[in-house]
Amino acid sequence: MSKPTNIKTSEEVRNRLRVLADERGTTITELLEELGTRELTEAEREQRAFEAARELGIEYTEQVQQVGQDAWVKIRAYQGGAAA
């Protein structure tokens, strides 16, 4: 197991994390661990996009890459509750 550490955040965010953890029947620590391992880095998204294009028989051009990046911007905007 990894060595524990502290993360500084506002009371508002901490309270929200507590509610989210309670709703899932878990702890804030476990919630953060899940979120931290579930979310993809930019490099991981790029690699998966390349692999998906290859599986679909699509050449992974700069245009395809840009369409994918634009899609991620829209996805993140909707996840945040705002339209892109």
Side-chain angles (χ1 to χ4, degrees):
M1 183 176 218
S2 299
K3 180 181 169 185
T5 188
N6 294 319
I7 298 174
K8 294 187 185 285
T9 188
S10 68
E11 281 186 46
E12 181 180 338
V13 170
R14 187 220 39 225
N15 293 340
R16 180 171 172 78
L17 289 169
R18 182 172 290 133
V19 169
L20 290 168
D22 288 346
E23 288 178 351
R24 290 166 173 79
T26 190
T27 65
I28 292 175
T29 298
E30 290 171 342
L31 177 68
L32 290 172
E33 287 176 1
E34 177 196 340
L35 292 172
T37 57
R38 183 180 67 200
E39 293 298 316
L40 299 176
T41 66
E42 190 69 35
E44 290 167 335
R45 280 194 298 276
E46 184 70 21
Q47 181 61 35
R48 288 191 184 186
F50 176 80
E51 291 168 2
R54 185 180 60 212
E55 283 186 29
L56 294 169
I58 299 170
E59 183 180 353
Y60 195 65
T61 63
E62 286 184 28
Q63 182 181 10
V64 170
Q65 180 185 29
Q66 187 61 54
V67 168
Q69 289 172 350
D70 293 345
W72 274 112
V73 167
K74 289 179 181 179
I75 289 167
R76 285 193 288 278
Y78 280 105
Q79 287 175 334

